[in-house]
Amino acid sequence: MKKHLKTLLFLLAFCFYALQGQAQFEGYQLSPDAKISLITCSSGNDLYAVFGHSAVRVQDPASGMDIIFNYGTFDFNEPNFYLKFAQGKLRYKLSAAHFSDFLYSYTMDNRSVYEQVLNLTPEQRQKYWGFLTHNFLPENRFYLYDFFFDNCATRIRDGLEATFPDNQIAFQLDEFDRDYTFRNLIDLYLPPQPWGDFGIDLALGAVIDQEATPYQYMFLPDYLSKGFANATIMQNGHMVPLTGLPQAVFLQDTSRLPETPLFTPLLLCWVILVLVTAITVFDFMRRRRSRALDFTLFLITGFLGVVFLLLWFATDHQATANNFNLLWGIPTHLIVAIYIAKKVALPKWLEVYLLLTAAISALLVIGWPWWPQQFHMAFLPIVLAIGMRAAYTVWLSKKAPVPVTTSKVKERI
């Protein structure tokens, strides 16, 4: 109940500034004692929060102003909210709130909050303040969110560079050069979220297996913080440090961190493979086929294939394109599931289809490390199970064909 209450208060604060902030900010002149800071928040327990968060804090002791500009919010009242979210068309927005409310929200979630004060002259602070407040105008505050290329972290980096163009800001990113792909980078945060990791590897295609440049690492708040700590800005003809090292505003209680679940997708999928193997051996001994098993396997993988296809072609999500999971989650498996459940001899086209399925499964397994997409290891036992059942079904059809001319003959398939 407390969590729901503080979330409600936090949203009310955002709404207040959304309605009143424009009038408050317009034409406001920061005092010489004002400060603008990068705020970095640590990972949360939920999947949407596991990668951390970035925001911009503006303090001015002269007026008592202490606010946070946050590019990571959206409006639940947006028409067709869930459809737009699924299609990648949901608009995120720049919001503003009291920093105290923002901090309270993160302390209640037990997430560390760090601050890096930007080393700006009074003129530079005023210029960046002008950028933020102009961005906050109703006609400018909305944008189409992209997790890897346009999010709460990249908006801050890009906004600062837009305020000070012509290489006035330089990022020294040599320490980032570790040959990480985008998938490698997000995998750094996913050990506590094995089911989230599984879902991400299902939905996101080979697009995120390209090597990220050190500059692109800064889509993650932690790397944005490191990038700012090593960056410089032009002042009076000289490059000076943009920020210092992060200073803790609140540190999480590590004793309250959740434990990684013991029951993981990898364990589940290997259990499924063991069961499928045992049933196949039992079927082989009795010269029969468990139609319910085959129907279930092909139905589920066929349904997943339809989801993969829709995410690739029916949405604006860049990261869901080129999904090689379609090699085992094949949409046509849905049709095959219906035919394979029948107690009749397999038609010739279905035998060919199942042979191709078994061959593709074998190629997937043999070339596992070299495919252009990094597959989740939990997919391996599923691929083996599908290939095994496809090959066995064709073998049994050839070995013990079922007569279909009379119902008096005992059916073996």
Side-chain angles (χ1 to χ4, degrees):
M1 184 66 183
K2 288 184 178 179
K3 186 174 182 179
H4 291 158
L5 179 59
K6 59 95 176 177
T7 302
L8 177 60
L9 291 173
F10 193 43
L11 290 173
L12 286 174
F14 276 140
C15 292
F16 172 78
Y17 267 106
L19 293 173
Q20 305 295 330
Q22 183 182 348
Q24 287 182 298
F25 301 153
E26 192 171 9
Y28 181 80
Q29 187 73 29
L30 295 174
S31 76
D33 296 326
K35 294 191 298 183
I36 300 180
S37 310
L38 172 67
I39 298 296
T40 305
C41 306
S42 67
S43 299
N45 297 337
D46 299 312
L47 180 60
Y48 73 86
V50 76
F51 303 104
H53 186 55
S54 298
V56 177
R57 181 185 185 183
V58 181
Q59 300 169 268
D60 194 347
S63 63
M65 179 174 65
D66 191 358
I67 60 174
I68 195 87
F69 285 96
N70 188 346
Y71 283 99
T73 57
F74 47 81
D75 187 358
F76 280 106
N77 294 320
E78 177 97 5
N80 302 312
F81 175 86
Y82 292 103
L83 178 61
K84 288 181 179 179
F85 180 82
Q87 292 177 327
K89 300 178 184 293
L90 182 64
R91 297 189 307 167
Y92 277 59
K93 66 179 179 180
L94 173 62
S95 299
H98 292 290
F99 179 73
S100 58
D101 295 326
F102 178 89
L103 183 61
Y104 176 75
S105 173
Y106 281 85
T107 56
M108 292 301 292
D109 282 342
N110 192 35
R111 296 174 63 180
S112 296
V113 178
Y114 299 93
E115 181 176 26
Q116 291 165 276
V117 178
L118 302 185
N119 180 25
L120 304 176
T121 65
E123 293 78 14
Q124 288 174 328
R125 282 197 298 271
Q126 188 65 38
K127 190 174 182 180
Y128 187 43
W129 166 259
F131 174 86
L132 290 170
T133 54
H134 179 75
N135 225 208
F136 186 66
L137 294 174
E139 62 270 24
N140 299 331
R141 67 179 57 153
F142 291 94
Y143 70 100
L144 283 178
Y145 177 88
D146 184 288
F147 177 75
F148 294 98
F149 305 109
D150 198 356
N151 66 8
C152 66
T154 63
R155 282 262 153 176
I156 296 172
R157 177 200 64 194
D158 297 346
L160 204 62
E161 288 184 313
T163 305
F164 306 106
D166 303 323
N167 299 318
Q168 293 183 64
I169 292 180
F171 290 100
Q172 313 299 325
L173 305 174
D174 292 341
E175 68 177 74
F176 288 4
D177 194 8
R178 301 178 185 174
D179 301 325
Y180 282 155
T181 66
F182 288 99
R183 197 185 302 273
N184 295 151
L185 287 166
I186 62 176
D187 280 349
L188 297 174
Y189 295 82
L190 292 172
Q193 294 276 352
W195 289 96
D197 184 24
F198 180 73
I200 286 172
D201 285 343
L202 277 174
L204 304 189
V207 172
I208 70 167
D209 288 291
Q210 61 180 303
E211 185 175 314
T213 66
Y215 184 80
Q216 289 173 324
Y217 284 22
M218 288 188 283
F219 80 91
L220 290 165
D222 285 341
Y223 280 100
L224 181 71
S225 175
K226 294 175 184 176
F228 271 41
N230 294 323
T232 55
I233 185 170
M234 180 68 70
Q235 289 181 3
N236 301 319
H238 301 282
M239 300 299 285
V240 300
L242 177 62
T243 71
L245 295 174
Q247 301 299 314
V249 179
F250 169 75
L251 288 176
Q252 64 187 178
D253 180 358
T254 55
S255 66
R256 291 170 52 197
L257 296 178
E259 296 181 357
T260 302
L262 296 177
F263 186 64
T264 65
L266 186 61
L267 175 61
L268 173 63
C269 291
W270 279 107
V271 168
I272 290 173
L273 178 61
V274 170
L275 290 174
V276 170
T277 302
I279 293 172
T280 303
V281 170
F282 187 66
D283 283 352
F284 174 79
M285 295 172 62
R286 297 180 58 192
R287 291 298 192 271
R288 56 157 294 171
R289 179 170 62 86
S290 299
R291 292 176 293 109
L293 172 62
D294 295 332
F295 172 78
T296 303
L297 268 179
F298 279 84
L299 181 72
I300 292 175
T301 53
F303 173 76
L304 286 173
V306 172
V307 173
F308 300 153
L309 208 61
L310 289 174
L311 285 172
W312 184 347
F313 293 105
T315 75
D316 291 344
H317 296 293
Q318 296 184 56
T320 55
N322 304 332
N323 194 339
F324 282 78
N325 287 317
L326 280 162
L327 291 173
W328 60 267
I330 305 174
T332 49
H333 282 0
L334 277 177
I335 300 171
V336 170
I338 298 172
Y339 281 91
I340 210 168
K342 296 179 180 179
K343 296 176 66 174
V344 296
L346 299 181
K348 187 65 179 177
W349 70 265
L350 187 51
E351 289 185 2
V352 174
Y353 182 94
L354 293 174
L355 282 174
L356 284 173
T357 298
I360 292 171
S361 299
L363 286 173
L364 268 174
V365 173
I366 293 170
W368 196 267
W370 299 287
W371 285 98
Q373 178 170 328
Q374 180 183 329
F375 297 112
H376 196 289
M377 284 305 298
F379 302 162
L380 179 60
I382 300 301
V383 173
L384 290 170
I386 295 168
M388 181 193 308
R389 291 306 297 184
Y392 176 76
T393 299
V394 174
W395 175 85
L396 185 61
S397 177
K398 296 290 187 183
K399 197 75 175 176
V402 177
V404 295
T405 56
T406 173
S407 61
K408 295 180 180 180
V409 179
K410 183 177 181 181
E411 295 172 353
R412 294 185 180 181
I413 299 180

